[in-house]
Amino acid sequence: GESVGLHLPTLSVQEGDNSIINCAYSNSASDYFIWYKQESGKGPQFIIDIRSNMDKRQGQRVTVLLNKTVKHLSLQIAATQPGDSAVYFCAENRGNFNKFYFGSGTKLNVKP
Amino acid sequence: NAGVTQTPKFQVLKTGQSMTLQCAQDMNHNSMYWYRQDPGMGLRLIYYSASEGTTDKGEVPNGYNVSRLNKREFSLRLESAAPSQTSVYFCASSEVGGANQPQHFGDGTRLSIL
């Protein structure tokens, strides 16, 4: 679960466009995944979760897709707004009581 | 609702000093956690408490101790601070232990050790 580097990958999108943020996980035993949003100076905020027996889950303006074959998770944000600008983390639970492993994050920059 | 409250928000220490970071939650959650977040990195679990009266090590426990004071409060102690412990510390809680429950986070304590 070690993270990489000091510089977060950045995704820049235009307001109103759809955003797709990707996350690769390493452990095939992972059975629960969460996406978090972290605004500057704040703690992570829960967005949406998905269990390994599902491929897709939708929330309000957000969709999470899980591809277990290639161990890949994505977060889709529809009609991205300036308030969506933040760092987004995926977290995986490897079946061991609430021990989550976090990715290093992607910074979403929404241009007005 | 306050959710998860951490104190202090900022702190500067000298190498070798000790300090306790406080965390309290008002959601009646059973499980509580301490993480650290270093620049450009994801959160790493230091310690967690599945329920009142129990604590367990996470990924990076060395140099830290914890106390689950009661159901609401979970503190993190640095006995002899080192520059490598400069980080942002987050406390989190979740409803039940052993089940897949999202964690709710505080806004962090920014700790600098000189």
Side-chain angles (χ1 to χ4, degrees):
Chain A
E2 289 298 320
S3 302
V4 294
L6 296 176
H7 302 287
L8 293 175
T10 299
L11 175 65
S12 293
V13 300
Q14 206 68 38
E15 181 179 359
D17 288 350
N18 296 334
S19 302
I20 300 176
I21 300 170
N22 297 304
C23 178
Y25 63 95
S26 57
N27 195 313
S28 57
S30 295
D31 58 2
Y32 178 55
F33 305 85
I34 300 177
W35 278 102
Y36 285 96
K37 172 187 181 182
Q38 186 176 26
E39 296 174 302
S40 181
K42 298 285 189 179
Q45 177 185 1
F46 171 83
I47 302 173
I48 192 167
D49 59 359
I50 189 168
R51 288 172 170 75
S52 59
N53 60 354
M54 303 171 69
D55 297 322
K56 179 180 180 179
R57 189 160 189 226
Q58 289 184 290
Q60 186 176 10
R61 279 202 309 119
V62 294
T63 300
V64 55
L65 299 177
L66 176 62
N67 185 330
K68 295 181 286 294
T69 302
V70 295
K71 296 196 283 290
H72 183 267
L73 195 69
S74 68
L75 176 71
Q76 300 178 0
I77 304 173
T80 314
Q81 302 168 0
D84 294 327
S85 293
V87 176
Y88 290 80
F89 293 95
C90 64
E92 59 179 292
N93 184 287
R94 299 173 181 173
N96 184 0
F97 173 79
N98 269 319
K99 278 188 176 180
F100 284 91
Y101 295 87
F102 286 76
S104 56
T106 296
K107 185 174 182 180
L108 178 64
N109 180 32
V110 182
K111 296 175 285 187
Chain B
N1 287 338
V4 178
T5 302
Q6 294 183 235
T7 56
K9 294 189 186 304
F10 302 93
Q11 185 70 48
V12 178
L13 294 177
K14 294 181 180 178
T15 298
Q17 286 185 315
S18 62
M19 175 169 186
T20 300
L21 280 60
Q22 306 287 352
C23 175
Q25 51 91 9
D26 63 2
M27 296 173 282
N28 202 35
H29 285 170
N30 286 301
S31 305
M32 297 185 74
Y33 312 83
W34 276 106
Y35 290 89
R36 62 177 288 173
Q37 184 178 36
D38 299 304
M41 298 179 74
L43 283 77
R44 290 183 292 170
L45 183 64
I46 304 171
Y47 271 94
Y48 68 98
S49 171
S51 60
E52 187 178 353
T54 69
T55 61
D56 284 286
K57 295 178 180 179
E59 285 183 83
V60 289
N62 291 345
Y64 304 96
N65 286 302
V66 290
S67 296
R68 183 73 182 268
L69 304 170
N70 48 56
K71 191 172 185 179
R72 289 187 64 248
E73 298 173 288
F74 188 38
S75 64
L76 178 73
R77 183 162 178 83
L78 286 70
E79 290 291 351
S80 179
S84 61
Q85 294 178 303
T86 293
S87 190
V88 182
Y89 291 85
F90 288 100
C91 177
S93 69
S94 63
E95 186 170 344
V96 293
N100 291 329
Q101 295 285 335
Q103 297 173 5
H104 300 262
F105 287 83
D107 284 337
T109 294
R110 283 144 187 86
L111 183 61
S112 293
I113 299 160
L114 307 177

